[in-house]
Amino acid sequence: MTRPIIVFDLDGTLIDTAPDLLDSLNHSLAANDLAAVDEAGFRRFVGHGGRVMIERAHAAQNKALVAEEHDRLLKLFLDHYTLNIPGKSRPYPGVIAALDRFQAAGYLMAVCTNKYEANSATLIGALGMSNYFAAICGQDTFAFRKPDPRHLTETIRLAGGDPHNAVMVGDSQTDIDTAKAAGIPVVAVDFGYTDRHVREFEPTLVISHFDTLTPELAERLIAAAR
């Protein structure tokens, strides 16, 4: 039988990237004479990539945004973010211990994120976490991205796993909807980047700390989904 696999979202799930995303968002907004977004307001904009963050930040300030300007600001955002990796970003408490547990239990592990693949791999590498993951798949890895379930299932296959022997961990409605559409149980962390509590999106399970995430728990969720 194929080894079981656990697939993680990245921003807001494994790694707290909010400080650096916020810095890069405000860098791009300043170039268009918009007010900076504070940390509290940032969560309304995050979770769907830089393009959507820029769009939402402009809408919140009633500022029109044409396509060419949007592209220019996105490039400023991405350039600023890329040049500062890993910046202030750090794994959430308990992440490394959880990854060690799953590695010791023989699980495959992968990342499925709507962040660009190169930035994802660079960030994971800069934090010394590359050795855990059999695949790191971003929004540009395939011709589709979350919430398309193929983003998740193809990540699993690329890592050498089987979607019927898998569980996903994420922090957003996008992650939950993706896993549900793929028929894969999904654990939602409640400390990520969403302006509504993840329980509203009806994941398989909600956790508040990675200490709760164990191979035994994953095995039960996978078995129940069969």
Side-chain angles (χ1 to χ4, degrees), residues 9-116:
D9 174 55
L10 189 57
D11 294 13
T13 300
L14 283 179
I15 300 174
D16 183 9
T17 55
D20 298 305
L21 293 172
L22 177 59
D23 285 350
S24 295
L25 174 62
N26 284 333
H27 175 74
S28 69
L29 295 180
N32 210 22
D33 297 322
L34 263 71
V37 175
D38 61 22
E39 187 174 352
F42 175 64
R43 292 181 183 272
R44 292 181 296 157
F45 308 134
V46 74
H48 297 275
R51 182 174 290 276
V52 175
M53 280 193 284
I54 291 166
E55 181 180 343
R56 289 178 175 178
H58 277 71
Q61 298 188 42
N62 298 312
K63 175 79 171 182
L65 184 61
V66 298
E68 295 81 4
E69 189 175 52
H70 203 167
D71 291 343
R72 179 180 68 85
L73 296 178
L74 178 62
K75 185 178 187 306
L76 286 173
F77 172 91
L78 291 173
D79 288 349
H80 184 273
Y81 182 78
T82 300
L83 287 171
N84 288 282
I85 291 174
K88 305 166 194 169
S89 297
R90 296 294 181 271
Y92 282 102
V95 163
I96 300 302
L99 297 178
D100 285 337
R101 286 194 295 272
F102 280 93
Q103 191 172 67
Y107 271 70
L108 294 166
M109 290 182 278
V111 169
C112 179
T113 174
N114 278 344
K115 198 186 199 75
Y116 285 100

Side-chain angles (χ1 to χ4, degrees), residues 115-160:
K115 198 186 199 75
Y116 285 100
E117 180 184 323
N119 281 346
S120 301
T122 300
L123 175 61
I124 289 168
L127 294 174
M129 299 168 63
S130 298
N131 63 301
Y132 291 109
F133 302 111
I136 299 170
C137 298
Q139 66 164 268
D140 53 338
T141 304
F142 309 109
F144 35 78
R145 56 182 283 187
K146 297 184 294 186
D148 189 316
R150 294 175 297 172
H151 192 177
L152 175 56
T153 56
E154 290 305 307
T155 296
I156 290 168
R157 292 189 177 97
L158 189 62

